Amino acid sequence: LAKLSESLQIKESSAFSPQDKHLYHESRKVLLQYQDLVAARFIETLATALPLQDGAAGGSAGAPRRLDHLSLDDLELMDDSQVHETVEQGRVLQIVKMAVDEDLVTFNALLSSARELAVVRPDANPLRPDVLVQSLMRALETLHVDPAIRSNWFHCGAVALGQEVQQLYQDLSTWLMSQGVQPAGYVV
């Protein structure tokens, strides 16, 4: 959240139009107002998403929509705001995935081994980028914040989120290796 606030401040100071300056200023002001609540709600939504990862097949009514399995038929059943949020979520997820790609491979291999799996199963990772991004999106949806401000947070914070998730995977991988965990193998 600190990196997002910093990014919004940089955008505000470099914006040319008064409307853009105002939007970045308001986005930063609202973020500062809600930052503790954002953190708490993210932890809550992530905690509720984690049990779904092990036992459920992901098809239950309360399970988050998998963005990598989204079809045009799904989009046709949504109103404009839902389509916009889904596209926004997909964009943020792509940015995060690009940032963590290499570290995610390492973490998945170590985590699979720690879970006593003979081969790497990326779907067995409860901290996959899609779970983290969807948990953050759900947490932000619970706040009474103007959708334009929330969208601005996504645009300005996607790269920082990717960097934070990358650091999380690096830290967890380092810890697993310090515990003597050897990476599981990938099936070719």
Side-chain angles (χ1 to χ4, degrees):
L1 293 175
K3 286 183 181 181
L4 172 57
S5 181
E6 185 179 305
S7 177
L8 289 167
Q9 189 170 20
I10 290 168
K11 293 274 192 180
E12 178 186 350
S13 65
S14 65
F16 291 113
S17 79
Q19 293 139 331
D20 287 346
K21 274 192 183 295
H22 178 70
L23 180 61
Y24 290 124
H25 175 76
E26 281 299 307
S27 296
R28 192 166 56 85
K29 186 173 94 175
V30 172
L31 178 65
L32 292 173
Q33 179 183 353
Y34 281 96
Q35 68 184 2
D36 292 337
L37 189 57
V38 168
R41 295 266 173 92
F42 173 65
I43 291 168
E44 289 171 13
T45 56
L46 182 60
T48 60
L50 292 179
L52 293 175
Q53 301 309 313
D54 274 340
S60 68
R65 179 187 309 276
R66 294 279 314 252
L67 292 177
D68 51 354
H69 294 94
L70 192 64
S71 72
L72 288 176
D73 291 336
D74 293 331
L75 292 176
E76 287 177 359
L77 300 174
M78 298 179 188
D79 66 23
D80 287 342
S81 65
Q82 288 174 313
V83 170
H84 178 73
E85 286 183 15
T86 301
V87 169
E88 189 73 42
Q89 190 173 2
R91 190 186 73 76
V92 171
L93 181 59
Q94 279 305 115
I95 291 170
V96 170
K97 280 184 173 182
M98 286 189 296
V100 304
D101 190 39
E102 191 175 309
D103 296 298
L104 180 60
V105 169
T106 302
F107 179 59
N108 281 339
L110 290 165
L111 186 61
S112 291
S113 177
R115 296 183 97 188
E116 299 181 355
L117 301 172
V119 295
V120 175
R121 282 197 29 225
D123 62 319
N125 176 359
L127 298 174
R128 293 185 313 275
D130 61 308
V131 174
L132 296 173
V133 169
Q134 287 178 344
S135 294
L136 179 60
M137 296 289 211
R138 284 186 170 200
L140 294 177
E141 287 170 2
T142 66
L143 303 176
H144 298 291
V145 174
D146 183 334
I149 288 176
R150 195 168 45 233
S151 180
N152 209 17
W153 289 350
F154 298 142
H155 283 285
C156 293
V159 172
L161 178 61
Q163 292 168 346
E164 291 296 320
V165 174
Q166 179 185 33
Q167 187 63 52
L168 172 69
Y169 291 156
Q170 289 172 353
D171 292 346
L172 291 172
S173 294
T174 299
W175 183 80
L176 286 169
M177 287 185 284
S178 76
Q179 300 301 309
V181 175
Q182 295 297 313
Y186 279 88
V187 174
V188 181

